[in-house]
Amino acid sequence: MEISVTEENYIKAIFKLEEFSNNDAISTNDIAIKLSMQPATVTDMIKRLAEKKIVTYKKYYGVLLTPKGKKIALTIIRKHRLWEVFLVKKLNFKWDEVHEIAEQLEHINSPELVEKLDDFLGNPKFDPHGDAIPDKDGKMRVVNSFPLSTIIKKGHYVFCGVANHETKFLQYLTNLRLNLGDSIEIESINEYDSSYKIKIDNKHCEFLSEQVASSILVSRVNEK
C-alpha cells in the first residue's frame, strides 16, 4: 500500500497527540492546529486514511489510529530518531540542528536501509534528545522520567530528556553546559518564583526558571 509523505505526516501527528490524550479520540481541530492546516483539509485527509484502515473516524467523536496505523507511525518515528543519532554521532551536527533534516530523511522507504543504519549505529535505544527509539518490532524502552518542575525537595537526579525540542531551548541548555546523562543536584527551590538552583555533574551551579524546569525531564539516579 502506497502512503504519501503528507499521509505519513498526518499519521505521526495523530500518534503524538494520542500520547497525551489518555487514549481518547483526537479532534480534527487538534490535528489542524498541530499541522497548521485548515480543519476542512484535515477532515478530507482523515477520511482518506480511514478508507485505508489507518485510522478510525467518527464525526463529532474524533480520530484514533488503528493497530495498522500505529505500526506505520512507529516505523516513521524509528527512522526519524535513528537519523538524528546518525547526524549527531557520525556527521557532528548539534542536537539543535537535526530535527528538520530528520523530518526529510524519515520518509525514505527502505526497510533494509533502516536496519543497516540501526546496526551501524550500534542499535541505540535513545535519540540525541533522550527520546526512546522503537525497535524493528515497535517496542520502546520505557524510562520513568518527569519534569524537573514537579520536584519539591532537594535531591539528586539524572537529566534524561526534553519536553521542548525548539532550537532556541536546546541552544539554551547547551549554553548551560547541560548534557543528557548529566547528574543534576537540586540545591534549593525558591518559594517566591519556583525557580531552581542546581549543580550540574558536581561541577557548576545554574539557576533555572520554572518554565525552563518544566521542559527538562529527569529520572531518578540509576533509573535509565
Side-chain angles (χ1 to χ4, degrees):
M1 179 182 62
E2 290 293 328
I3 300 176
S4 69
V5 169
T6 301
E7 288 172 331
E8 288 189 346
N9 287 335
Y10 271 82
I11 294 166
K12 187 172 72 169
I14 295 168
F15 181 87
K16 291 189 173 182
L17 288 168
E18 282 189 18
E19 285 185 307
F20 301 98
S21 72
N22 295 319
N23 295 317
D24 292 332
I26 307 302
S27 73
T28 52
N29 281 337
D30 286 340
I31 299 170
I33 291 170
K34 187 167 184 64
L35 293 173
S36 300
M37 303 290 290
Q38 293 297 319
T41 303
V42 171
T43 299
D44 288 342
M45 175 58 76
I46 294 305
K47 289 178 178 178
R48 188 188 311 172
L49 294 175
E51 289 175 0
K52 293 185 175 183
K53 310 298 183 184
I54 293 171
V55 302
T56 59
Y57 169 65
K58 291 182 180 179
K59 193 174 182 180
Y60 306 122
Y61 174 71
V63 181
L64 283 171
L65 289 172
T66 63
K68 177 182 178 180
K70 288 181 180 178
K71 183 177 180 180
I72 295 169
L74 286 165
T75 298
I76 298 166
I77 290 168
R78 171 171 165 77
K79 289 187 287 184
H80 182 101
R81 294 177 180 174
L82 283 172
W83 282 119
E84 287 194 334
V85 174
F86 175 77
L87 291 166
V88 170
K89 297 294 186 182
K90 302 302 180 180
L91 298 186
N92 299 318
F93 279 87
K94 297 177 183 177
W95 70 333
D96 58 272
E97 298 174 327
V98 296
H99 180 72
E100 293 301 326
I101 303 172
E103 287 275 295
Q104 300 172 53
L105 294 170
E106 71 185 25
H107 299 295
I108 297 174
N109 185 20
S110 173
E112 182 180 8
L113 173 62
V114 176
E115 296 317 309
K116 288 191 174 184
L117 177 64
D118 189 24
D119 289 340
F120 176 68
L121 295 171
N123 310 114
K125 303 301 181 186
F126 299 93
D127 75 6
H129 309 107
D131 295 318
I133 300 173
D135 66 15
K136 61 182 179 181
D137 297 317
K139 297 178 181 178
M140 291 187 285
R141 183 171 173 181
V142 177
V143 175
N144 294 320
S145 63
F146 42 90
L148 183 65
S149 59
T150 62
I151 300 170
I152 59 175
K153 296 180 180 179
K154 296 179 182 179
H156 293 81
Y157 302 88
V158 177
F159 175 40
C160 65
V162 291
N164 181 348
H165 289 71
E166 293 179 2
T167 298
K168 289 184 178 180
F169 179 71
L170 298 177
Q171 290 173 343
Y172 176 79
L173 297 187
T174 298
N175 290 335
L176 290 180
R177 292 174 289 163
L178 179 59
N179 302 297
L180 288 180
D182 283 352
S183 66
I184 292 179
E185 179 184 356
I186 297 176
E187 294 199 334
S188 64
I189 304 172
N190 190 305
E191 292 185 6
Y192 175 69
D193 62 1
S194 298
S195 60
Y196 289 74
K197 180 184 179 183
I198 66 170
K199 180 177 283 187
I200 300 172
D201 256 8
N202 294 315
K203 295 175 182 176
H204 57 99
C205 291
E206 300 289 348
F207 290 90
L208 305 178
S209 69
E210 182 180 21
Q211 180 183 4
V212 169
S214 69
S215 292
I216 292 176
L217 302 179
V218 297
S219 62
R220 302 190 186 282
V221 177
N222 297 326
E223 179 72 33
K224 189 167 180 177

